[in-house]
Each structure stands twice: as C-alpha cells, then as structure tokens.
Amino acid sequence: MRVGVLTGGGDCPGLNAVIRAVTKSLMRCCQAEVIGIEDGFAGLMEGRVRPLDWDAVSGILFSGGTILGTSNRANPLASKESTEQALAQAGVLGLDALVAIGGNGTMTIAHGLAERGLPIVGVPKTIDNDIEGCERSFGFDTAVATVTQALEHVQTTGQSHGRVMIVETMGRYAGWIALEAGIAGAADAILLPEIDFDPEALIELCRQREAKPRYTVICIAEGAKPRGGELTVERMIQDSPDPIRLGGVAHHLRTMLEPQLHSEVRATVLGHVQRGGSPTPFDRVLATQFGNHAAQLLEAGQFNRMVTLEHGAMGSIALEEVADRTRQVPLDHPLLETARDIGVCLGE
Ligand code: F6P
C-alpha cells in the first residue's frame, strides 16, 4: 500500500505528532510506503512529495507546526480542471489512499475528492475545536493553555493600574477557546460568537468593579459581535476557500466601553501565538491516537471517513457528515451554566 499524507489549512500544535503516528503505524501494520505531500493540497496538485519513514518522523513529537508545510489557499475543488489535476497527480504518485490532516476546509475538500474516487481518511485538527462530529480536535488544548496564561498575565497588570483588560482569542465562528480559557483564566466576562453581547451589560459590570476590586478582565472571541452589530473582519484573502479573516473586535469593544467608564481600557489581540508552541501532553496523546486510528481505518479499508473522539474514545464519521459544517458551542452547554453560576458575565 502506498499512502500519501498531507496537512491542510492553518497549522496547529500536534500536526507533527499525527504525521509521526500515522507513518509509524502504517509501516508496522501494513508495511506501507508513506509519502509526505508538501504544503497541503498545493503539493498534491503540483506533485511535490518526499518519502516519510521511521527516521524522517523521529524526534518531531514535541515540535509545533508541520514538517510538511501547509496552505490554506490551494483548493482542488475550485474548478473542474483543478479537481482533475489533483486526481491525476494522485494517480501519477501511485497513491492507494490519502490521509488528510486538517480542519473544516480540508475535510470539505477531502469529501469532494473522495466522492470522485480518491480513497481518503481525514484527521481533525484545529485550535478552534469546531469540527462537526468530533468533541475535541488536537491543537485546541494547547491554544487554551496559551490563552489562559495570557489572561493570568493581564490580571496582575490590570489590578496594578485599575484597568479594564480585554483579551481577544481566535476561534472563527465558534467560542470554544474563549469559553474554556476564559473560565481557566478567571475572566470576569466571556463573549462568544454564539451569544451576541449587550454593551450595556459590560458597562454595568465594569462600573460595579471600578469600586472594588478596581479591575476587570474580559475574554472575547474574534467572532463575537454586539447585538444588532456586525462581525469584525480584519481582512479578506480572495483565493482562500474561506476568504474571511476575523480580528479586532477587542478594539471595537474598547471604543464602546472607554467613554462610559472612569477606568482606562486596554485591548490585546493574541493572534497567531495561539497556534504556536509545543503541543501540550494532552494534544500529543490525542494526536498520536488520531494518527494511529487513521492507520487502522486504512488497514481495514474504511475510507472516506474522518477519525473522531466520541465520549473519550476513538471513532469515525463519514466525511459527508463533516463537510461544510461548523460545530459551535450549543446554547445549553453545561460550561455556559457553570460560568453564569459563578458570576461570569456572558454579555447577556
Ligand atoms: O482556524 C484556525 C484559525 O487560527 C482561526 O482561529 C483564525 O480565525 C484563522 O485560522 C486565521 O487564519 P490565518 O492564519 O489565515 O490568518
């Protein structure tokens, strides 16, 4: 068996752990020849590959990023010609199957190529934790740890100066990072894309806290917006399958709050620091399990499926149930109730 492995979309910590686990598992279980495809689907369409063997994937477990490179621009589904080019290159490379490690966009492309006959197994990665059918994607735990530390850091400076400190997280249209990090980092308010916030509720919170203990920490997801307001778009990447890049809502919120308060307000947009660093032990274990399970699916001939974590165990789901979907925080999620019960303002 000859299997191609690629990483698509934005990177996240743990990609190398999957590449390592899938390669080692396939070499042991199936004596497979494993081919690393460079820069995601761009490398597939251009036939840019390198061999992956035991030595090539040794010593990479701890490192962030991806040794294969990635791209969130190349889209083999953009036109009939590009789809044919991708499928033809898979044929030239002699691939019996492809392991596509990526997020929503990658799974949508994987589904499209699988429907046209390329056997694929997907592995869910993203710091956003927003992939349908999977309760935890690797990369998320590491991002939550990074944001939690940032929230801890702004607590002390916020306290010293008696300020309102706003910290903006990534997460696109899902609030998982802000919700978990906000709770772990003791935020006084957590603002999510799933719950449009009322600026008056935040002004009231900050005013109450101006008396004592003098400072307030707000954790806001990049996809959050005020009631009746718009998303804050940072830029458009026209040739990307998902061209919208969110960012900057923290500054928008600052301008809403500052004129209404005695305190100064400072905003920090964490940005890509959330995507870097060494994966946490949790993410290393999860990514290793995912890579191993992907190899098991290939060995069993179960294609066109994505590996999942369901109730803490490995599982899989048909790619067609994942493609073109986003998993947001459900409004009845127990963590929302916990946050409300301990007095965290959700902007309601
Ligand atoms: O999907 C991961 C993610 O980091 C989002 O949280 C963020 O909105 C987006 O990617 C940023 O994309 P780029 O790396 O293209 O700026």
Side-chain angles (χ1 to χ4, degrees):
M1 183 159 51
R2 201 170 149 91
V3 180
V5 178
L6 65 77
T7 50
D11 72 339
C12 77
L15 285 166
N16 288 327
V18 179
I19 295 168
R20 169 179 176 267
V22 79
T23 301
K24 290 189 169 186
S25 301
L26 281 170
M27 288 178 73
R28 282 174 62 89
C29 74
C30 321
Q31 289 74 50
E33 190 184 348
V34 187
I35 309 291
I37 298 168
E38 296 175 353
D39 300 333
F41 289 107
L44 177 64
M45 286 155 67
E46 294 158 16
R48 285 189 283 113
V49 298
R50 66 171 100 149
L52 287 180
D53 57 18
W54 208 268
D55 286 346
V57 299
S58 291
I60 64 171
L61 174 64
F62 311 140
S63 54
T66 160
I67 60 164
L68 294 174
T70 186
S71 160
N72 53 10
R73 293 189 179 208
N75 181 7
L77 304 184
S79 67
K80 196 163 167 268
E81 292 71 37
S82 46
T83 309
E84 278 166 8
Q85 189 184 340
L87 294 172
Q89 274 297 346
V92 171
L93 294 169
L95 299 184
D96 297 303
L98 178 68
V99 175
I101 311 166
N104 290 322
T106 302
M107 293 311 141
T108 303
I109 294 169
H111 172 55
L113 294 178
E115 274 201 316
R116 291 163 181 82
L118 183 61
I120 299 190
V121 170
V123 179
K125 74 82 229 193
T126 170
I127 63 164
D128 304 340
N129 199 34
D130 63 349
I131 302 178
E132 186 63 33
C134 186
E135 63 193 31
R136 211 92 174 162
S137 52
F138 68 89
F140 172 66
D141 189 65
T142 308
V144 167
T146 302
V147 177
T148 301
Q149 193 187 41
L151 287 167
E152 271 178 48
H153 288 185
V154 300
Q155 295 272 351
T156 51
T157 178
Q159 186 173 31
S160 307
H161 292 266
R163 286 173 172 163
V164 174
M165 305 300 291
I166 306 172
V167 173
E168 178 179 317
T169 74
M170 282 185 165
R172 234 183 265 264
Y173 306 106
W176 296 105
I177 300 176
L179 179 59
E180 290 214 5
I183 289 176
D188 304 299
I190 301 174
L191 306 177
L192 311 175
E194 293 83 353
I195 303 173
D196 287 353
F197 64 86
D198 175 2
E200 290 302 322
L202 295 161
I203 291 165
E204 185 54 34
L205 172 80
C206 296
R207 281 185 182 155
Q208 281 172 12
R209 291 182 60 88
E210 272 178 342
K212 203 171 170 234
R214 297 201 318 140
Y215 77 105
T216 304
V217 173
I218 301 175
C219 180
I220 184 167
E222 63 182 0
K225 58 180 180 1
R227 277 183 199 161
E230 301 293 327
L231 287 167
T232 309
V233 175
E234 200 234 332
R235 70 178 71 196
M236 300 293 286
I237 312 266
Q238 291 307 346
D239 54 351
S240 169
D242 179 1
I244 298 172
R245 293 295 180 276
L246 301 172
V249 67
H251 296 294
H252 184 39
L253 179 59
R254 181 178 56 75
T255 61
M256 287 190 260
L257 297 184
E258 205 155 35
Q260 310 296 328
L261 302 173
H262 295 301
S263 324
E264 290 182 69
V265 184
R266 294 288 187 269
T268 306
V269 178
L270 293 177
H272 289 80
V273 297
Q274 295 160 93
R275 292 236 303 257
S278 179
T280 59
F282 179 91
D283 275 339
R284 293 178 202 178
V285 173
L286 181 62
T288 300
Q289 286 181 295
F290 277 171
N292 175 237
H293 199 65
Q296 288 173 0
L297 290 180
L298 288 169
E299 187 184 17
Q302 289 191 37
F303 300 122
N304 309 339
R305 300 186 71 75
M306 183 190 79
V307 174
T308 60
L309 184 72
E310 290 168 40
H311 309 297
M314 288 295 112
S316 70
I317 184 172
L319 281 172
E320 66 176 343
E321 291 181 53
V322 180
D324 294 316
R325 296 189 198 173
T326 298
R327 191 179 72 97
Q328 287 191 301
V329 178
L331 292 179
D332 61 353
H333 194 280
L335 264 188
L336 295 175
E337 214 41 56
T338 303
R340 288 187 189 103
D341 283 353
I342 61 166
V344 175
C345 171
L346 298 178
E348 299 154 303

